[in-house]
Amino acid sequence: MMYQEAERLQMFTRRALLLGTAQALTFGVIGTRLYSLQVQRRDQYALLAEDNRASQRLLMPPRGTIKDVHGRILAENIPTYRVRVIREDAGDLDFLLERLGQLVPLTESQIQAVTRQARNYRSFVPITVAEGLNWKQISAIAVHSPDLPGVVLDAGLLRHYPHEDVLAHVVGYVGPVSESDISIDQDPLLRLPEFRIGKSGIEKTYDQVLRGTAGHSRVEVNAVGREIRELNRQEGKNGTDVTLTLDIDLQKFCFERLSAELSASAAVIDVNDGSVLALTSVPSYDPAGFASGLNHREWRELRDNPRTPLVNKTIRGQYPPGSTFKMITALAALNKGAITPSYEAFCPGHLSLGNARFHCWKQDGHGRISLLQALGQSCDVFFYEVARKVGVDAIAEMAGKFGLGAPTGIDLPGEAPGLVPTSEWKKATLGESWQRGETLVIGIGQGYMLATPLQLAVMAARLANGGIAVTPSLREKVSSDSVSDAPEFAHVDVSAEALSWVRKGMYEVVNGPRGTARSSALKLEGIEMAGKTGTSQVRRINRAERAAGLHKRKDRPWDDRDHALFVCFAPFDKPKFAVSVVVEHGQSGSGAAAPIARDIMTKALQLDQSQPRLIADTGRFVSEG
């Protein structure tokens, strides 16, 4: 009996030992784990706990403003109001949106966007219903707030373009961030739902400068992410203001003057440093629509308009330069020695080459004519002869020196390159050999030739300034007492004598007794302008149509008429500005484009403070006939 009791005691002792050992091991593991969590890894888990308690939010900085050369606002931020809905407080969302739509206009697409976001976001996250509301709409919502559960009003900043369509193509606009934007730019600001990025114009070119850097706000949140209170805030860096070389007074004048035409463009640049004073394309559009969002109808109207209001024609419109190119043909021949300044040709009204006949614009011809007369009267046959003597490749080389055939490098996105063909280009592109007749039409700026209005202005500027290869720019140059970033431009490799003769020919165009633009001479005492008219064919006229006078009829369909062009610079004795004007399907450079360029040049000179001889006042323009 005693043996059995001792055996049971021994068994109990072993079990107690095993249990105690297991308990010790268990508490040892727990203790070790607790030591690891609370002592060794305390900082790591404290940080995780803090991250669960607090959330970091980005703060959008105010976007920089855009100003003209005199500091006047071209794009700015204005206070705006928006209405939001918190779904968990709204009850029946569809019914709430219907009632809200009676106070502020809501499109079907806006309502669909709200319901879609309501399905994807947490119920306590505010959803923007409409923004850009005026004070009257805000007041109406505030008055009816007891009947609008879940509706909250919020204030923010809206991008505002005070000059609307006058500057749309230059300043551009901002819009919502796309997936492609995010793939290119890793800035965390782009992931904010309400952030706007530059989409076109200066807004796009200088977006990084204008947008600034994000601030940060730490807010305390509960387990489901609801904000409880703000813990601290660090403001970001506001966007930098950008000042342009544009003069808004001149830009407005150009816009109003061009608006009399169905589709036209103009460029004004300083011949000495390439500063762009005006860059105008009509028709245009209001950029505010893109900043706030266009509906489908508005977008289709802009997209399908045959006058292409969305296209900045000054840098994207490509046209045969026509007779405005004749200065380049003359320079190529003079520089190469193919002709001398005293060279003359006989113009009977046409030139025959093989079985082809190349016509002059003057049907009965100009007779024997010199270089200056040929430029002044724009004789086609003279330049057919000159082009044949010098060849297409020499002409193309000279054209490149004066800014044609390649983007100018202006600080705007989407610039078109134009086209200056060569014999190699045709072989590589079309697989065909160059024909002699093609050289003739290139000599008068037709055929494959293409140029933008800005390229033509650059060409005129380089002709005016003695061959300094200025490039156009829109951002005002910054300088200090010791350092200036004013660029140093190279000189075009061309004879100074040849340039002088060409400029004299341009003088004859405007001031000569038989000049093609003599009716568009400046009406400013003591100041003279030099220029060149151009009329470029939209389609080739055959012999039968020419015999019937179709090439001169104004009753042809608008888009079947010739383009009208004019380039000029002034003052002639000390050039300051170069202007180019293109009137799409305007029929005649002398009749449509030259008067506009004359008025724009007059305004530019009147606004120029370095011209003490002029009265700096007049908003009106002189018009003849």
Side-chain angles (χ1 to χ4, degrees):
M1 189 72 177
M2 290 180 60
Y3 173 77
Q4 293 176 343
E5 186 68 25
E7 188 175 340
R8 283 198 299 271
L9 180 61
Q10 186 179 7
M11 184 180 297
F12 176 78
T13 302
R14 286 198 304 269
R15 289 176 178 175
L17 181 62
L18 290 173
L19 181 61
T21 302
Q23 288 176 334
L25 289 174
T26 300
F27 282 111
V29 170
I30 293 174
T32 302
R33 183 60 176 165
L34 288 174
Y35 179 79
S36 174
L37 293 176
Q38 296 185 11
V39 178
Q40 293 181 325
R41 304 174 67 182
R42 177 178 65 85
D43 294 340
Q44 175 185 349
Y45 285 106
L47 181 61
L48 290 174
E50 179 63 19
D51 286 343
N52 288 332
R53 181 183 76 91
S55 177
Q56 185 129 313
R57 309 289 167 86
L58 290 178
L59 301 175
M60 287 192 298
R63 192 172 180 85
T65 60
I66 301 174
K67 305 174 183 179
D68 86 336
V69 68
H70 299 298
R72 292 169 291 193
I73 298 296
L74 308 181
E76 62 182 339
N77 308 305
I78 59 172
T80 184
Y81 296 98
R82 57 192 172 200
V83 59
R84 293 177 163 187
V85 170
I86 300 176
R87 183 164 55 88
E88 68 177 4
D89 299 329
D92 187 339
L93 183 60
D94 293 334
F95 179 70
L96 178 64
L97 291 175
E98 181 181 349
R99 300 189 66 176
L100 193 57
Q102 297 173 359
L103 302 175
V104 296
L106 296 179
T107 64
E108 187 63 30
S109 60
Q110 285 178 298
I111 295 174
Q112 291 174 359
V114 172
T115 55
R116 181 173 61 253
Q117 293 177 65
R119 292 192 298 268
N120 297 331
Y121 294 167
R122 291 179 179 271
S123 61
F124 57 82
V125 175
I127 300 171
T128 300
V129 179
E131 54 186 350
L133 303 181
N134 57 42
W135 184 250
K136 183 178 179 181
Q137 292 169 329
I138 289 293
S139 301
I141 295 173
V143 169
H144 292 85
S145 59
D147 302 321
L148 300 170
V151 171
V152 294
L153 296 173
D154 190 14
L157 293 175
L158 180 70
R159 198 63 166 170
H160 176 58
Y161 302 99
H163 301 289
E164 300 175 342
D165 52 355
V166 173
L167 280 168
H169 293 111
V170 178
V171 172
Y173 59 87
V174 295
V177 179
S178 66
E179 289 297 326
S180 61
D181 293 327
I182 295 176
S183 65
I184 297 172
D185 191 338
Q186 301 303 312
D187 189 337
L189 272 173
L190 271 62
R191 298 190 178 276
L192 295 177
E194 295 166 3
F195 187 71
R196 296 292 184 267
I197 192 173
K199 291 292 186 178
S200 73
I202 291 296
E203 291 277 29
K204 182 174 183 178
T205 300
Y206 295 109
D207 183 71
Q208 295 279 358
V209 175
L210 289 163
R211 78 169 64 156
T213 55
H216 301 276
S217 172
R218 284 176 57 81
V219 295
E220 187 175 5
V221 296
N222 61 15
V224 295
R226 186 193 306 279
E227 292 185 14
I228 298 174
R229 62 190 175 95
E230 184 176 65
L231 299 175
N232 57 64
R233 170 184 291 254
Q234 180 181 349
E235 298 295 342
K237 182 180 179 182
N238 293 354
T240 302
D241 294 347
V242 170
T243 300
L244 305 183
T245 59
L246 287 178
D247 186 324
I248 187 58
D249 289 334
L250 182 60
Q251 179 78 12
K252 284 181 177 179
F253 181 87
C254 292
F255 188 83
E256 293 168 2
R257 188 66 177 89
L258 290 173
S259 293
E261 306 295 336
L262 295 175
S263 183
S265 54
V268 184
I269 67 174
D270 189 311
V271 304
N272 299 307
D273 63 10
S275 298
V276 178
L277 283 78
L279 208 60
T280 311
S281 177
V282 298
S284 186
Y285 63 92
D286 187 352
F290 287 87
S292 59
L294 295 172
N295 59 44
H296 292 298
R297 179 187 59 80
E298 292 170 332
W299 166 246
R300 284 195 304 269
E301 288 178 354
L302 288 171
R303 181 195 62 189
D304 300 336
N305 189 324
R307 318 295 186 215
T308 59
L310 294 177
V311 175
N312 183 357
K313 299 179 181 68
T314 56
I315 65 169
R316 291 197 58 80
Q318 300 184 96
Y319 313 89
S323 295
T324 62
F325 186 73
K326 289 175 179 176
M327 290 87 71
I328 300 300
T329 303
L331 277 176
L334 289 168
N335 207 54
K336 193 176 180 181
I339 66 170
T340 65
S342 60
Y343 171 78
E344 293 183 348
F346 180 75
C347 170
H350 64 273
L351 181 147
S352 295
L353 183 66
N355 296 326
R357 175 171 284 192
F358 298 83
H359 294 271
C360 184
W361 70 267
K362 189 175 182 181
Q363 191 170 356
D364 56 355
H366 292 88
R368 183 154 295 278
I369 193 167
S370 67
L371 172 63
L372 294 186
Q373 293 170 333
L375 281 169
Q377 300 172 43
S378 199
C379 175
D380 293 328
V381 170
F382 181 94
F383 288 97
Y384 291 150
E385 293 282 11
V386 171
R388 183 163 58 176
K389 286 177 177 292
V390 70
V392 64
D393 293 331
I395 294 174
E397 181 183 359
M398 185 61 67
K401 293 178 180 180
F402 282 82
L404 303 178
T408 65
I410 189 173
D411 39 351
L412 283 178
E415 184 182 11
L419 175 61
V420 176
T422 63
S423 54
E424 290 184 3
W425 168 87
K426 187 181 179 187
K427 191 69 175 178
T429 305
L430 304 178
E432 300 174 358
S433 298
W434 189 264
Q435 303 298 314
R436 290 186 301 162
E438 292 173 322
T439 300
L440 271 59
V441 296
I442 289 300
I444 63 166
Q446 294 284 169
Y448 300 112
M449 278 289 307
L450 291 173
T452 68
L454 181 61
Q455 287 175 330
L456 294 176
V458 170
M459 177 191 74
R462 295 182 181 184
L463 288 169
N465 64 25
I468 301 173
V470 295
T471 57
S473 61
L474 276 162
R475 192 173 185 185
E476 178 75 352
K477 297 170 180 60
V478 180
S479 62
S480 64
D481 294 338
S482 58
V483 179
S484 173
D485 69 351
E488 293 185 4
F489 301 107
H491 281 254
V492 173
D493 181 19
V494 64
S495 161
E497 182 185 8
L499 274 172
S500 176
W501 278 100
V502 166
R503 286 196 296 269
K504 290 176 183 177
M506 295 177 70
Y507 178 88
E508 289 296 315
V509 171
V510 180
N511 305 286
R514 301 178 66 182
T516 55
R518 60 190 179 279
S519 63
S520 294
L522 291 180
K523 305 298 182 182
L524 299 172
E525 184 178 355
I527 297 181
E528 293 175 307
M529 177 175 75
K532 185 68 190 77
T533 54
T535 303
S536 62
Q537 288 184 348
V538 173
R539 69 178 182 86
R540 187 172 182 178
I541 305 297
N542 60 40
R543 289 188 179 184
E545 291 173 327
R546 183 175 294 276
L550 181 61
H551 63 296
K552 294 183 179 180
R553 290 181 183 170
K554 296 182 179 180
D555 56 355
R556 283 188 293 171
W558 175 79
D559 56 0
D560 195 28
R561 301 173 185 172
D562 297 339
H563 298 312
L565 306 91
F566 189 74
V567 299
C568 59
F569 65 86
F572 178 74
D573 56 350
K574 191 176 181 181
K576 175 67 175 176
F577 303 119
V579 175
S580 72
V581 172
V582 176
V583 180
E584 289 188 351
H585 312 292
Q587 295 244 108
S588 165
S590 59
I596 296 175
R598 182 262 325 272
D599 296 337
I600 290 174
M601 181 65 79
T602 300
K603 187 67 174 179
L605 290 167
Q606 289 172 337
L607 291 171
D608 181 26
Q609 296 179 358
S610 68
Q611 298 290 334
R613 293 175 288 178
L614 300 178
I615 300 173
D617 135 340
T618 100
R620 66 183 183 86
F621 53 83
V622 182
S623 159
E624 294 182 3

